[in-house]
Structure formats: C-alpha cells, structure tokens
Amino acid sequence: MKLSLIRRERLFASALTGPALFIVAVFAFYPILFSFYLSLHRIVLGLPSLGQPFVGFENYRELFQDRIALRSLTNTLIFVFSTISCELLFGLGIALIINRSFRARGLVRAAVLVPWAIPTVVSSQMWRFIYNDKYGLLNFLLFGAAESRYRAWLADPFFAFLGIIVADVWKASSFAALLILAGLQTIPDDLYEAARIDGASAWQQFRRITLPMVKPAILVALLFRTMDAFRVFDLVYVMTQGGPADSTNVLQFYGYKKIFAEGLMGYGSTISVLVFLITLTLAVFYIRLVGTRLFREQA
Amino acid sequence: MRFSRVLFTGATVMVVVLSLLPFVWFADTSLKTEKEVTSIPPVLLPSGTLDFYRSSIEHYDLLHFIKNSLIVAGSTTFITIMLAILAGYALARLRMRYKGVVMGALLAVSMFPQISIAGPVWRILQHLGWLNSYQGLIAPYVTLTLPLGVWVLASFFRELPAELEDAARIDGCGHLQTLFRIIVPLAAPGVFTAAILVFIYAWNEFFFALLIMTRQSYQTLPVGIALFQGQYTMPWGEIAAASTIATVPLVLLVFLFQKRIVRGLSAGAIKG
C-alpha cells in the first residue's frame, strides 16, 4: 500500500517535470548534438542543390587554419579574462557598500541594478553614442571644446576593444555584486565582534573573515560571469560589427556571420561546437572548485 | 571613524552616479532637438521636446516593435512560469528519481552559449514553418528561461512548511489541487519574482530575435533599436527615444521590486 503511494507520487512528479524537460530536450540538448552533426557536413544555405555531403573533420581542419577564427578566439579569451576580473573586483566593492546598513540603502541597491536591467542593445547604443567621434560625451570630457583633437574611438582597434570591455563591465558588475552580496549576508556578525575584541584591524577583518567567507559566492559569480562573457554578441554587433579589421571580432559574432550571413551552416557549426566544448570544460572545472569548497565547509 | 564615514559615503555616491549617469545622459538626449543633440559643448538641460518620440513612432514604426516585444515577452513569461511551477513543485516537494540530474541539466542549459544551438534551432523552426512568427521566438525563449524559472520557484517552494501537503491530503485535496489551491498562493511572491526575471530576460534578448525575426513586421524592440538607420546620419535622437521607452519599464520594475529581484537572482545561484 505504502509502496504504491510512493510510486504514484513519483509518477506524478515525472508528469509535472515532463513538459519542461521535453522543451529543453528539443530546443537545447538536441541542437547541441545536431550542431556536431552539421559540423561534419558541407552545407551552404543558399545552394540547396549541393546537398549535404559528409566531409568528416574537413571543416575543423579549415577552422584551425582560419586566421579570423583564431583571432576571434584570442579576442574572446582576452575579453572574458579582462571583463570578469574587473567585474569581480568592482562587484566585491559594490557588494561591500550595499551590504552595510544606512538610510536609502534600498534606493542605492535599485540604482546599482539599473545597468543590469537595461537591454544590452540599449546599453550598446548608449556607449556608442558616448564614444561618438563628433559629439560624444567622452570626447568632450577629455578634450573640452577642442574639436580638432576629438578621436573616433571605435575606429581604433585598441580603443574599440577597450570600449566594449568598459561597456560590459559597466553592465555586468552589478550582477556579480548581487551574487557576492548574497554571500556576505551569510557571514554572522559575532565573527566580526570577536575579531574586534581581539583587536583586529579593519583590514585584518577583511582578509581573515570576509574574504574567506565570501569565496564560494565569488566562485559562483565567476562561473556565471564567465559563461555569460563567452556569449558576448550584442555589444559587438551594435558597436563595431567585429571591426575595425576584426580587432573586436569574437566567436559568437563570427559564428553568427558564417552561419547566417554567409550561409555556411556546416563550417559555422564547427565554431558552435568549439564554443560549447570550451565553456563545458571551464564549467566542469569551476563546478569542481565550488563543489569541493562547499564540501570542505560542511565538513 | 569620521574619515571612514566620509570615504564610505563618497564611494556610495560614486557607485550610484556611475550606475545611473550613462543612461540618464541617453534619456536626456531623447528630449533634445536635432540641433541640441550635436551641439558642442553638449546641452545639459534639453528643451524637453517630444519630437524624437513622435518621429520614432512615425518614421521607425516604434509602436509596432513595442507590440511585438509585449506579445513575445508576455507569452514567454506566462508559458515559462506555468511550466516552471509544475516542474519546480515536483523538484522541491515530491519524491522523485534523478532529481539531481534534472536540476543539473537545467543549470547546464542556462549556461549554454547561444551560438552552440543557434543553427539547429533555426533549422527546426524552419522545418516547422515558424521563422518570422511569434511562436518561433517564444519557443527558444521558454527553453532558455525555464532553468531560471524552475530554480527560483523551487527555492521558494522549498521554504514552505512541510506539513502543507499532508494537511491538504487529509482534507481530500488531490495533488494538482494542492499545488494550485495551496502551494502557489502561498508562494505568490516567488512566482511574481520569477515572472519579473523571465520577463526582463525575454524583453531584452537580442541574438535569437535577430536570427528568427528577419521580417520587420515581427521584429522586437531590441532588434528595432539595433537596426535603426538614418538616410545620411545616425538618427541618435530617435535611437535614444526608443531606448528610453524600452528601458523605463525595466527601471520602474527595479525600483519597485528591488528586494525581490535581489532575492530571486541570488536564490537561483547560491542556495541551490
């Protein structure tokens, strides 16, 4: 009697999760496998008469000789590394600020959330306007009314890349801050009190209590921000289209161009697979790190 | 002590100003005249004309983009929340096999790079005849927001007292009745939080919208804003106006429901 009750509950639970799992399977897991299948074929969207000949790993061989693809890969890695380091640093700073209690804390927290809530396309256009070569705010702040010295920031390979990094850090630091804040809130106050009684300075308290205690939260923020930074697309599409001279080209943008602008579904899919494998490796690595930390804390 | 207070206040003010200023500047631009937008030195106080709003409606079909965005984001929110209530309830409160695997699989989906699934998703939609249709965009959005919805709702459902189901069963409630008559009303704040987060995601998404909606009549607001083109120069005033319209609802949500959003975002990431 009791067994059948459990069985009925399990059956009901499966029925409840069924629809969600079905959709995720069709539109997320199956496409991952399908991308791999496509990457082994030559498929040109505009030329259906060619069919879909199987070409083995030919596309991959081509990928590793494709200069622009390698450029996009290094760009993406530099972008990921520099944005997440800044975002975690600023995120920690912001979290420390909004964790303290003071009047208008709710308003400050809401203000910090604004960059996170803004559509990326909007923030891309906004920064593009700020960087504008003729009437952008940045030029005015740097050079005043001396218009002859105004620069076209987004036409310069180095500054265009930097500009995209700044725009991303501005938008995503608050998300890192929120995750770190959640970690800060789990630190019991008596730890600080005990430290104060023992005569620990503010810096010592930060080093010996705050930092070790928020480490798991920082790692979670690191994981989510890394995965998100690999997906950078909107900023590049709106601000630079990958230019000048591919200096801001990134993997997701390059893959998009190959598959949808040039119609190279087969070749473009190798980029899809490559991005997936890189992020999968990183995710597994991070989750192990987070996992062991959490485990050690419980022990 | 006093010094550290000054330092703290200064840092707080700086964070707030840096967070708000760029967007305030853009919203400010949307209220200027054509001449004020390009003037050097920049005009701080605009004349407050709504010309750019009028022009973006008349020349750039702004209302159409807004309508499409509302339909897509609204339907996505509704469908995702319904599915996430069912799945989140099962994962949080029922005995079930492979719970960890299911939660892990959902978490993995939230980290998938869009480019890894873009080609095949496009082909599936093409096969179904769903390119340039609302359902064609809603389907991938539901997929990508389900993990968030399920994680947030499961974390809220878990916090309700464990005796609820037993009490309901004694009163003769079936499983589904228990869920919708008792659990969902009690977890209403959680449902609302998840709905806000899903709506913001769907309202802001650009990549899939760009691929799937190639016909202007179906494009959403982010695609419209990204593709605004003037005949000779960039129509900055109109872009700023459309951007402000796209952002103001979100800013309102953030200021009204800051606590919920903070809780929801960290519930998804930390507690699980």
Side-chain angles (χ1 to χ4, degrees), chain B residues 58-233:
Chain B
E58 279 168 13
H59 302 122
Y60 294 90
D61 229 357
L62 182 63
L63 293 180
H64 208 78
F65 293 126
I66 296 175
K67 187 191 97 187
N68 291 339
S69 268
L70 282 173
I71 292 174
V72 170
S75 321
T76 301
T77 309
F78 180 75
I79 298 171
T80 297
I81 294 302
M82 288 310 289
L83 294 175
I85 284 176
L86 301 179
Y89 176 68
L91 289 165
R93 303 185 71 93
L94 295 180
R95 276 168 292 193
M96 185 186 158
R97 280 175 210 269
Y98 307 117
K99 232 180 227 185
V101 177
V102 173
M103 289 300 268
L106 286 172
L107 186 67
V109 168
S110 76
M111 293 182 204
F112 275 7
Q114 293 109 320
I115 188 68
S116 304
I117 58 171
V121 165
W122 188 87
R123 286 189 73 153
I124 295 171
L125 295 175
Q126 187 195 33
H127 190 75
L128 294 169
W130 282 11
L131 293 172
N132 285 304
S133 77
Y134 292 127
Q135 65 270 31
L137 195 52
I138 293 168
Y141 281 8
V142 168
T143 311
L144 295 171
T145 52
L146 262 174
L148 179 73
V150 172
W151 273 73
V152 171
L153 282 172
S155 95
F156 275 90
F157 288 155
R158 244 179 246 127
E159 282 177 12
L160 300 177
E163 306 80 34
L164 280 178
E165 275 94 347
D166 299 334
R169 210 152 304 150
I170 290 165
D171 289 345
C173 264
H175 274 304
L176 264 186
Q177 255 185 326
T178 313
L179 173 57
F180 281 101
R181 291 250 178 100
I182 296 165
I183 304 287
V184 169
L186 282 174
V191 175
F192 188 64
T193 304
I196 294 177
L197 295 178
V198 170
F199 182 85
I200 292 182
Y201 179 95
W203 182 262
N204 292 359
E205 207 281 340
F206 174 62
F207 182 72
F208 279 105
L210 181 71
L211 305 182
I212 293 164
M213 306 303 213
T214 45
R215 253 182 251 145
Q216 208 198 350
S217 50
Y218 283 104
Q219 281 169 349
T220 53
L221 204 40
V223 180
I225 291 172
L227 300 181
F228 263 28
Q229 280 294 336
Q231 218 171 348
Y232 306 106
T233 52

Side-chain angles (χ1 to χ4, degrees), chain B residues 15-37:
Chain B
V15 164
V16 170
V17 168
L18 285 178
S19 299
L20 295 180
L21 191 70
F23 181 68
V24 169
W25 177 244
F26 214 35
D28 188 63
T29 303
S30 74
L31 296 170
K32 292 177 177 175
T33 62
E34 197 78 57
K35 218 172 160 191
E36 287 169 327
V37 169

Side-chain angles (χ1 to χ4, degrees), chain A residues 9-10 12 23-24 27 31 34-35 38 52 106 110 117 119 121 125-126 129 170 178 182 231 252 256 272, chain B residues 8 18-19 22 95 97 109-110 112 114-116 120 123 143 175 204 211 222 225 234 236 250 254 258 265-266:
Chain A
E9 190 172 313
R10 280 190 180 141
F12 180 63
I23 291 188
V24 167
F27 285 102
F34 199 29
S35 275
L38 291 173
Q52 302 196 4
V121 168
Q125 291 283 27
M126 181 187 89
F129 183 60
W170 176 78
L178 285 185
R231 293 189 276 224
Q252 179 143 325
Y256 160 81
S272 311
Chain B
F8 169 71
L18 285 178
S19 299
R95 276 168 292 193
R97 280 175 210 269
V109 168
S110 76
F112 275 7
Q114 293 109 320
I115 188 68
S116 304
R123 286 189 73 153
T143 311
H175 274 304
N204 292 359
L211 305 182
I225 291 172
M234 280 296 290
W236 282 117
L250 305 180
V254 161
Q258 166 266 126
L265 282 179
S266 42

